[in-house]
């Protein structure tokens, strides 16, 4: 069980949507999820069943706590059961109020791909933010999304960005996503070819082996 929890990223401010799917899968696998979602309620009798429920509920609560970032634990320290903890997490991280909307919009507009960052991971994170806003009934114009996505690319994509922006019309974001990934794959392939060429050139220039030098001997005259 501990190994499964260690495989998922701990819950922080920005990953509740993916975290809750993963933690549900982990707890379902260990037959603890129904204590978290409240399906299995605490029995009133017999005593043996009550103790068994409390033991399983503590396990479920512990697994949740171990999967939460340390800085967030103070917000759930008063929760006594796994279900109380789960409800509290939803109220904190899955809020549909203006604060969450503003936070997601800020993340989207400030999204920037770092030099050398995996393009697929970055693009997936970008559209994950778009999906989260969609869940909050926030729809962003496709052309605006395309501009935001282009502006999020690093300097090494400058020529690519200029080529796209010089068109009469911007491509739809789904097509732009594909083109960015193709451009990234092409760059990686060229870089690998260049590295291989340098390695080959280095091997060719290397001497096959140093020939042993002849020992110098001094001629001495008999006196």
């Amino acid at each position: 069980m501990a190994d499964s929890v260690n495989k998922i990223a701990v819950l922080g401010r920005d990953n509740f949507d993916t975290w809750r799917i993963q933690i549900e899968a982990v707890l379902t696998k260990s037959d603890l999820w129904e204590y978290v979602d409240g399906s299995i309620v605490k029995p009133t009798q017999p005593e043996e069943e009550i103790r068994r429920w409390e033991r399983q509920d503590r396990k479920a609560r512990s697994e949740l706590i171990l999967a939460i970032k340390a800085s967030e634990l103070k917000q759930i320290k008063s929760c006594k059961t796994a279900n109380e903890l789960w409800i509290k997490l939803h109220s904190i991280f899955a809020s549909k109020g203006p604060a969450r909307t503003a936070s997601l919009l800020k993340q989207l507009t400030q999204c920037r791909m770092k030099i050398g960052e995996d393009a697929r991971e970055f693009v997936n994170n970008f559209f994950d933010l778009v999906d989260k806003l969609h869940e909050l009934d926030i729809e962003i114009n496709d052309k605006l999304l395309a501009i935001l996505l282009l502006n999020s690319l690093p300097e090494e994509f400058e020529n690519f960005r200029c080529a796209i922006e010089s068109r009469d019309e911007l491509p739809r974001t789904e097509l732009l996503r594909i083109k960015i990934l193709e451009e990234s794959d092409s760059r990686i392939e060229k870089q690998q070819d260049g590295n291989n060429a340098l390695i080959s050139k280095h091997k060719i220039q290397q001497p096959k082996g140093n020939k042993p030098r002849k020992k110098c001997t001094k001629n001495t005259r008999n006196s």
Side-chain angles (χ1 to χ4, degrees):
M1 180 66 183
D3 290 340
S4 297
V5 172
N6 290 336
K7 288 179 182 178
I8 68 175
V10 292
L11 174 64
R13 280 285 167 187
D14 306 318
N15 66 332
F16 181 74
D17 295 280
T18 52
W19 178 86
R20 65 180 175 181
I21 296 171
Q22 292 179 310
I23 197 66
E24 180 179 345
V26 169
L27 294 170
T28 299
K29 190 176 179 181
S30 57
D31 297 323
L32 293 172
W33 175 247
E34 290 177 316
Y35 293 88
V36 176
D37 71 0
S39 299
I40 299 179
V41 296
K42 186 176 181 178
T44 55
Q45 59 177 342
E47 191 65 28
E48 183 181 342
E49 288 300 313
I50 294 174
R51 286 198 299 270
R52 182 183 181 281
W53 185 93
E54 289 175 343
R55 186 167 57 251
Q56 293 298 96
D57 186 71
R58 283 196 299 271
K59 285 182 182 178
R61 182 175 173 274
S62 297
E63 295 298 345
L64 287 173
I65 290 172
L66 291 171
I68 299 173
K69 201 171 183 179
S71 59
E72 306 297 337
L73 292 178
K74 61 182 179 293
Q75 303 185 77
I76 51 91
K77 63 182 181 181
S78 62
C79 300
K80 302 301 182 184
T81 68
N83 183 243
E84 283 181 22
L85 199 157
W86 186 251
I87 292 171
K88 183 69 174 180
L89 290 176
H90 263 268
S91 69
I92 296 169
F93 297 102
S95 169
K96 293 191 176 182
R100 178 168 166 78
T101 303
S103 175
L104 291 171
L105 282 170
K106 184 178 180 181
Q107 289 178 58
L108 184 66
T109 55
Q110 294 182 352
C111 214
R112 295 293 182 272
M113 181 177 168
K114 298 179 181 66
I115 294 175
E117 183 178 354
D118 183 87
R120 277 178 173 75
E121 184 176 347
F122 172 80
V123 170
N124 287 340
N125 289 337
F126 181 91
F127 283 98
D128 183 50
L129 289 170
V130 175
D131 290 339
K132 288 176 182 178
L133 284 165
H134 177 72
E135 291 172 4
L136 298 175
D137 298 323
I138 302 296
E139 297 293 338
I140 301 175
N141 179 276
D142 197 72
K143 288 183 179 179
L144 177 57
L145 269 182
I147 293 170
L148 289 173
L149 185 54
L150 283 171
N151 287 338
S152 70
L153 299 176
E155 290 182 6
E156 60 190 70
F157 282 80
E158 184 63 26
N159 291 337
F160 170 82
R161 179 168 48 237
C162 290
I164 296 295
E165 290 176 346
S166 64
R167 298 182 177 187
D168 292 335
E169 285 191 10
L170 289 172
R172 295 191 62 81
T173 50
E174 282 303 318
L175 179 58
L176 182 57
R177 180 210 292 249
I178 295 170
K179 289 187 175 297
I180 289 172
L181 296 181
E182 287 176 346
E183 176 69 14
S184 176
D185 289 342
S186 175
R187 287 174 175 276
I188 292 171
E189 187 176 344
K190 286 178 181 177
Q191 186 177 10
Q192 289 174 344
D193 289 344
N195 291 339
N196 291 336
L198 284 173
I199 292 170
S200 299
K201 184 178 179 181
H202 181 67
K203 285 181 178 179
I204 292 171
Q205 290 178 344
Q206 260 189 338
K208 291 183 179 179
N210 294 326
K211 293 181 179 180
R213 294 181 179 180
K214 291 181 180 181
K215 291 183 179 179
C216 296
T217 56
K218 292 182 179 180
N219 293 325
T220 58
R221 293 181 181 179
N222 295 327
S223 52

